[in-house]
Amino acid sequence: MNFFHLFSAFLLALFLTSCSTTADTKKIDLREFSNDDEQYALTETREFTAQFCKSLKDGNFSHWQQVMPLNTQKKVTPEIFARMRKELIDNFGTLENFDFLGTLRKDTLLDYLWKLQFVKDGKKRDVIFLVRVFCENQRKPEISGFGIKRF
């Protein structure tokens, strides 16, 4: 199980980097979420998660790829998705269901949490799927990353 925890941490670190800046990128000016922003972000993350789950179930990466932000599309290739899917299936089994749990606010970021329910060898195994969203000035909220954690 240690490999899976490292794999999950790698995914989260890889995909949460869109909020960071380097000398080669412009500084991102984040702002607080309005009520409309939060509703928009929830709708976007709901579709992102639904298509992720659909892709996990049937192995067709294109479902999820169609709703990915451009930054994520550059980082998540069909090969990376295939490896991620294999690891999830090997560790947790078949995805059966997913449910929205709620939202966590951290300064100018929102984390939307889902419980993904897998079944392996007749046993249910739950994991948390987190989708992080930020809101840049003069722009709509954007998904900046995602991660999976078993508790």
Side-chain angles (χ1 to χ4, degrees), residues 5-103:
H5 289 291
L6 288 174
F7 182 71
S8 296
F10 166 75
L11 283 177
L12 193 56
L14 177 67
F15 300 112
L16 294 181
T17 58
S18 63
C19 281
S20 65
T21 60
T22 66
D24 297 334
T25 61
K26 69 177 180 108
K27 181 171 171 45
I28 296 176
D29 188 19
L30 299 179
R31 64 178 170 83
E32 294 291 322
F33 285 80
S34 69
N35 289 338
D36 288 344
D37 289 333
E38 286 189 39
Q39 196 58 43
Y40 176 84
L42 177 58
T43 299
E44 291 295 303
T45 59
R46 194 177 300 271
E47 185 64 17
F48 181 83
T49 303
Q51 296 307 317
F52 172 76
C53 291
K54 185 175 182 179
S55 290
L56 273 182
K57 284 184 177 185
D58 69 14
N60 186 346
F61 176 63
S62 67
H63 303 303
W64 189 35
Q65 188 177 33
Q66 291 174 10
V67 298
M68 280 182 184
L70 290 176
N71 191 38
T72 304
Q73 286 182 23
K74 293 175 186 176
K75 296 176 182 177
V76 181
T77 64
E79 295 78 22
I80 288 174
F81 171 74
R83 283 194 310 260
M84 181 174 53
R85 182 175 183 264
K86 181 182 181 325
E87 288 296 323
L88 288 169
I89 290 170
D90 288 351
N91 282 284
F92 300 113
T94 304
L95 178 65
E96 295 290 319
N97 195 19
F98 66 99
D99 293 306
F100 180 65
L101 295 175
T103 307

Side-chain angles (χ1 to χ4, degrees), residues 114 116 125-126:
W114 276 264
L116 306 185
R125 299 166 185 243
D126 296 339

